[in-house]
């Protein structure tokens, strides 16, 4: 199955979880799980960060232990939050101020989750390979973000 077909499948699963439960943590946890299962080789780490004041707080994820707090504007996640846009980073070592939660991470994509025009959280995905993510990933993950955002909005402070 090609990448776009896997993403279409993934979006259908995310919609199912979004309709099946109204508990935000449960929905986010299941979304992280199906994202990891859909892309087991590409996604070394996948999860969510929740806006809490001037920090992002670690939410449900799949993968190795991660950074628990990220300041506004710091690293890839903090920069995507500050800029209010998705970031695709082909080589994290070349990203100024990259926060290395795992030395195995080589490339990354971060997609903000919006509620009423405000970033309330993020999808963060790391790969152990360089240049894993592209516009196809960004396009489909931004669609996933639209489905997931209402649940994240319940958790953001």
């Amino acid at each position: 199955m090609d990448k776009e077909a896997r993403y279409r499948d993934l979006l259908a699963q995310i919609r199912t979880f979004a309709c099946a439960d109204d508990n935000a943590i449960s929905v986010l946890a299941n979304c992280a799980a199906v994202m990891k299962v859909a892309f087991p080789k590409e996604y070394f780490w996948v999860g969510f960060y929740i806006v809490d004041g001037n920090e992002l707080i670690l939410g449900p994820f799949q993968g190795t232990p991660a950074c628990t707090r990220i300041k506004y504007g710091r690293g890839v996640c903090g920069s995507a939050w500050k800029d209010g846009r998705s970031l695709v980073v082909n080589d994290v070592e070349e990203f100024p101020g990259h926060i290395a939660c795992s030395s195995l991470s080589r490339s990354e994509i971060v997609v903000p989750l919006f509620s009423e025009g405000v970033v309330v959280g993020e999808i963060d995905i790391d790969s152990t390979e360089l240049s894993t993510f592209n516009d196809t990933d960004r396009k489909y993950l931004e669609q996933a973000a639209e489905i997931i955002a209402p649940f994240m909005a319940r958790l953001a402070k």
Side-chain angles (χ1 to χ4, degrees):
M1 191 181 310
D2 73 358
K3 184 186 262 191
E4 290 208 22
R6 288 194 287 165
Y7 271 118
R8 286 191 298 272
D9 242 18
L10 176 62
L11 288 173
Q13 292 180 63
I14 289 172
R15 283 186 195 96
T16 298
F17 286 118
C19 291
D21 199 331
D22 66 350
N23 182 281
I25 295 292
S26 296
V27 171
L28 294 175
N30 276 327
C31 287
V34 296
M35 292 167 92
K36 179 78 167 136
V37 169
F39 292 92
K41 293 179 183 164
E42 297 88 341
Y43 291 9
F44 165 68
W45 190 95
V46 57
F48 298 96
Y49 279 95
I50 305 160
V51 171
D52 185 6
N54 67 341
E55 292 181 310
L56 293 166
I57 305 296
L58 180 63
F61 70 93
Q62 294 283 310
T64 59
C67 299
T68 58
R69 296 175 180 274
I70 299 172
K71 295 274 187 201
Y72 179 80
R74 295 232 11 220
V76 180
C77 289
S79 295
W81 178 18
K82 180 180 175 187
D83 296 346
R85 66 181 179 93
S86 300
L87 290 179
V88 175
V89 179
N90 292 322
D91 183 348
V92 296
E93 296 296 324
E94 293 181 4
F95 190 88
H98 174 253
I99 301 167
C101 296
S102 170
S103 61
L104 298 175
S105 177
R106 301 297 309 277
S107 60
E108 184 171 5
I109 185 168
V110 177
V111 177
L113 300 161
F114 292 94
S115 178
E116 299 178 11
V118 175
V119 176
V120 292
E122 294 179 334
I123 300 169
D124 180 23
I125 305 172
D126 292 4
S127 173
T128 57
E129 302 296 323
L130 294 171
S131 302
T132 297
F133 308 107
N134 59 29
D135 280 340
T136 299
D137 300 279
R138 182 196 50 74
K139 177 179 97 172
Y140 283 99
L141 290 169
E142 286 176 352
Q143 291 176 39
E146 290 178 19
I147 301 165
I148 297 165
F151 297 95
M152 182 65 75
R154 297 179 196 169
L155 301 173
K157 298 176 185 176

